[in-house]
Amino acid sequence: MNRYLFASICLLILSGCKSNNSASIQTESQLSLELMEINGIQSYQKGDYENALRLLKKPATWGYKGSQYTLAFMFLKGQHVPQSTLIGMGWLGVATEVETEEWSEQYRQFYEAAPVQMKSEIDSIVNEYIRRYGMKAQNITCKKGPTIHTRAVRHVCTKSDAISTVYDIDLNEEDVTIKQ
């Protein structure tokens, strides 16, 4: 009985621990994250941006590149989120960690078209997003995988069993905080 009481108290303490930058230490099922990403991308392709956002937020924060890439365009285009070049480029920048040629080229083109002052802001947010949501930060490895009936690039990401610090996503530019 004492063991269960101790375990319950520990769980309550751990679940209540959050830092002031909306981060928490969590574990998540890899299958659950993969299904959210697949269903979120399908919702996005169907134009159901509300459902896409709901499904893609969690896998994106856990480092899943397809989710990050899709969120990038939701922010760049303002699809069910406030339009934000800065947040969109942050997501696109962290998604390009997998070095997909098409994604990297899109990032380069958008970056080169940005005004000089914005390039500095983009650099800062990309570095912050890699610190929060990058492959190393989220203990994840990704490789290109086959897709069925499409030429789209799909990344198969594998999460290690390590516990990760997971951050909420920024929904508005006012929410963006860059750790110095």
Side-chain angles (χ1 to χ4, degrees), residues 1-110:
M1 181 71 172
N2 287 337
R3 188 173 9 155
Y4 294 113
L5 180 59
F6 177 74
S8 297
I9 291 170
C10 288
L11 283 174
L12 282 171
I13 291 170
L14 287 174
S15 65
C17 290
K18 281 197 172 188
S19 68
N20 59 0
N21 61 358
S22 300
S24 61
I25 298 174
Q26 303 177 10
T27 60
E28 184 68 39
S29 154
Q30 184 165 321
L31 179 59
S32 172
L33 292 167
E34 289 174 9
L35 289 174
M36 281 187 261
E37 180 173 74
I38 290 166
N39 291 326
I41 292 170
Q42 287 175 347
S43 291
Y44 178 81
Q45 291 168 340
K46 292 176 183 174
D48 184 358
Y49 305 124
E50 180 178 1
N51 195 45
L53 178 65
R54 183 182 63 77
L55 290 167
L56 294 172
K57 285 191 309 187
K58 187 175 275 189
T61 62
W62 284 83
Y64 281 69
K65 300 304 172 188
S67 296
Q68 293 174 344
Y69 179 79
T70 306
L71 276 182
F73 282 91
M74 290 182 73
F75 279 98
L76 290 168
K77 296 178 179 181
Q79 296 167 318
H80 194 70
V81 293
Q83 190 280 330
S84 171
T85 300
L86 188 60
I87 295 173
M89 288 297 287
W91 283 117
L92 189 55
V94 72
T96 62
E97 280 186 307
V98 291
E99 299 178 359
T100 300
E101 187 176 329
E102 178 185 344
W103 295 5
S104 296
E105 182 57 30
Q106 288 172 327
Y107 179 84
R108 273 191 298 278
Q109 288 177 357
F110 294 156

Side-chain angles (χ1 to χ4, degrees), residues 112-172:
E112 288 173 4
V116 174
Q117 174 59 30
M118 182 172 264
K119 286 180 181 178
S120 174
E121 294 173 2
I122 291 169
D123 292 341
S124 294
I125 197 164
V126 169
N127 289 334
E128 179 65 17
Y129 280 18
I130 288 172
R131 185 188 71 76
R132 291 184 201 172
Y133 314 117
M135 291 167 56
K136 183 177 179 183
Q138 292 303 322
N139 302 302
I140 196 165
T141 57
C142 299
K143 61 184 178 189
K144 292 179 189 173
T147 56
I148 300 172
H149 306 299
T150 180
R151 294 179 354 170
V153 176
R154 180 172 186 275
H155 292 90
V156 179
C157 296
T158 306
K159 185 104 175 91
S160 77
D161 290 334
I163 295 174
S164 296
T165 301
V166 179
Y167 298 84
D168 292 336
I169 70 166
D170 301 315
L171 292 174
N172 299 293

